[in-house]
Amino acid sequence: MSSIAYVTDSEMLEYHRLCRNRTILFWRLTNKNKFSDFRKGDLLFFFSRPNHGRKKGLVGYAHYDSIKRLSLNQMWKQYSEATGYETKERLAEAIRKAGKGEIPEVMHCLYLTDVVFFVSPVYPEQIDTLELPNKLESYTYLDRNDPSVTVKILKIAQRHGIDLWSADPKKNPDEIFKNDVVRHQIALISRKIGKEYGSEKEKSASHKLAKEKIQEKNWEMVIGSKTDCLYMDKNRIKVALALSYQTNDFELRIRDLLGKVTMYQYYIKKLHFERRVSFEVLMRDEIREVKEMVEEVSNG
């Protein structure tokens, strides 16, 4: 689970907001440092000066999709205004300014999806465990020292509200935002519960069960986990937990599973989710009694 704060030009962001762009392309000069730990679905927060102010804050975010190597011509031909500029000439001017008069033949570009803007910025000093210098030049990871920083940022932004004016009516940013809050809160719970249990063979089998589950529509892996899966819609949150065992440790693995469900339940109740939460167990061969035990514990 990684989130980064990325120094972003305020005028470019305002252009994206006014155009209601839900996908955007950030170009980066090739001599800039590469991301070492950033995966598809991770959050890139825009660290910028809102309203031309002197103080930087986190004004929104997007989901990282991929890195693309593109020339200026390719960038404009494929993405045009999704680059944050209304003409190719203005894009070229911005690149020349950052590149000290030169335009590299190829640039590393970040393709971002599901953009969300905040009504009010979240400032670093609002979060006691976050150190984010105003003079940050490029980007920094947010969760390295405190894994809960992303959730803290999202919860403060939730109190301020999401900018719905800039929303694409086909894709509600409020729903995207609420799912991101849940996604990262569940990931923190998974992290608190701790390491996987069982032998290496059992772990490997559990990983395979989870990978198969996320092939189903709207299922995804809990961030940071290899065995727990997550499903969300407007009314429900479902957590699926993989169970693998050997004949001689079946009862032990069941106790581990039920303990995990109980801990999930304990932490989830503290969060007061608006949606109903349920659990299911992933097994190679379904055992009705195990399924009933999980349902009983989760309903209790």
Side-chain angles (χ1 to χ4, degrees), residues 23-219:
T23 60
I24 61 180
L25 189 80
F26 279 1
W27 51 268
R28 307 182 73 230
L29 302 181
T30 54
N31 61 352
K32 296 287 185 180
N33 293 331
K34 295 181 181 180
F35 296 126
S36 60
D37 183 22
F38 205 52
R39 298 176 177 83
K40 185 171 182 176
D42 285 347
L43 304 187
L44 182 149
F45 286 91
F46 311 131
F47 191 45
S48 182
R49 292 186 175 89
N51 303 318
H52 304 286
R54 301 175 66 181
K55 186 178 177 183
K56 290 180 182 176
L58 302 167
V59 300
Y61 69 90
H63 297 75
Y64 171 72
D65 181 272
S66 56
I67 288 182
K68 302 179 182 294
R69 288 173 52 83
L70 301 169
S71 67
L72 170 62
N73 289 335
Q74 290 172 328
M75 200 186 308
W76 185 256
K77 183 177 180 180
Q78 294 179 37
Y79 298 97
S80 61
E81 284 113 344
T83 61
Y85 299 91
E86 59 186 3
T87 66
K88 179 182 173 182
E89 289 68 30
R90 293 200 65 179
L91 172 61
E93 180 184 348
I95 296 172
R96 284 195 193 95
K97 183 177 179 181
K100 299 179 180 179
E102 297 182 0
I103 297 179
E105 290 185 9
V106 177
M107 284 161 280
H108 290 116
C109 302
L110 305 179
Y111 182 60
L112 310 170
T113 64
D114 293 337
V115 180
V116 174
F117 289 104
F118 304 151
V119 169
S120 300
V122 177
Y123 291 106
E125 58 268 26
Q126 293 178 272
I127 301 169
D128 55 3
T129 56
L130 177 60
E131 294 184 8
L132 200 54
N134 199 54
K135 293 184 178 180
L136 180 69
E137 293 184 356
S138 181
Y139 71 93
T140 187
Y141 289 90
L142 294 171
D143 293 311
R144 286 281 169 85
N145 297 323
D146 178 7
S148 67
V149 164
T150 297
V151 170
K152 291 176 181 178
I153 293 170
L154 294 175
K155 295 300 287 184
I156 293 173
Q158 190 173 42
R159 292 200 297 269
H160 294 168
I162 303 304
D163 182 359
L164 298 178
W165 180 90
S166 63
D168 180 343
K170 296 179 182 178
K171 202 160 191 179
N172 185 354
D174 187 54
E175 184 177 338
I176 293 170
F177 177 82
K178 287 179 179 178
N179 283 344
D180 282 327
V181 173
V182 170
R183 185 175 286 116
H184 283 79
Q185 287 175 323
I186 293 291
L188 279 179
I189 293 173
S190 176
R191 187 184 179 99
K192 286 180 180 178
I193 291 173
K195 297 180 180 180
E196 303 172 46
Y197 49 77
S199 66
E200 291 303 315
K201 183 178 180 180
E202 289 169 333
K203 290 177 184 178
S204 178
S206 293
H207 297 172
K208 188 173 182 180
L209 287 168
K211 287 180 180 178
E212 291 172 0
K213 186 65 177 178
I214 63 173
Q215 300 307 311
E216 297 180 19
K217 186 177 180 181
N218 294 330
W219 279 93

